[in-house]
């Protein structure tokens, strides 16, 4: 039991509070036992609204601003790295004509050299990598027109 001392209107009270079961407390005031029924309190419930994403930004006219990758007309076929690695060699120059089966780049990945073929016939319009460059999967190696 937990004991408390109170002074009410000049009178001293020794109050001991015992166990509380089913909202009924065992209380002893100045040696006299009492059963005190406590008022049941309702716990407040907090309702949390689910998170909603912010609306897409809009222009002054109200149109949505959506960024899309731009592709230049006639940009050609972009040859991309099939896996991450290091460029060991570039076997072509800008302006060279290649066949689909020609090896245009040698890529070292996982301690193995991989021959990267052109994939289509055409003319090399740009080269985006140099020997020794580290590239990620999907990185553009060169462009064929």
């Amino acid at each position: 039991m937990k004991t408390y001392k109170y002074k009410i209107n000049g009178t001293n009270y020794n109050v001991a509070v015992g166990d509380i079961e089913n909202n009924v407390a065992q209380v002893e005031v100045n040696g006299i036992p009492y059963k005190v029924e406590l008022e049941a309190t309702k716990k407040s419930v907090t309702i949390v609204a689910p998170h909603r994403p912010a609306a897409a930004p809009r222009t002054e006219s109200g149109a949505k601003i959506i960024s899309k990758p731009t592709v230049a007309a006639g940009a050609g076929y972009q040859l991309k790295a099939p896996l991450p690695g290091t460029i060991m060699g570039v076997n072509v120059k800008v302006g060279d004509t290649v066949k689909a089966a020609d090896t245009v780049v040698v890529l070292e990945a996982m301690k193995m050299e991989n021959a990267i073929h052109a994939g289509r016939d055409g003319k090399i319009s740009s080269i985006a990598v140099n020997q020794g460059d580290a590239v990620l999967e999907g990185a553009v190696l060169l462009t064929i027109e």
Side-chain angles (χ1 to χ4, degrees), residues 30-109:
N30 291 339
I32 302 170
Y34 295 95
K35 287 188 179 185
V36 178
E37 188 173 334
L38 303 173
E39 183 178 325
T41 58
K42 294 182 181 180
K43 293 184 180 179
S44 62
V45 177
T46 304
I47 298 174
V48 178
H51 175 70
R52 294 189 62 195
R58 296 181 181 265
T59 62
E60 290 179 12
S61 64
K64 291 182 180 177
I65 298 173
I66 300 173
S67 60
K68 295 181 182 176
T70 57
V71 177
Y77 169 72
Q78 293 182 332
L79 180 64
K80 297 180 180 180
L83 65 164
T86 303
I87 304 297
M88 297 305 293
V90 179
N91 300 341
V92 293
K93 299 183 300 262
V94 174
D96 287 355
T97 302
V98 294
K99 298 286 183 192
D102 290 349
T103 300
V104 292
V105 175
V106 178
L107 177 73
E108 180 187 353

Side-chain angles (χ1 to χ4, degrees), residues 133-145:
D133 288 351
V135 295
L136 296 175
E137 180 178 358
V140 176
L141 303 175
L142 51 89
T143 306
I144 302 171
E145 289 182 342

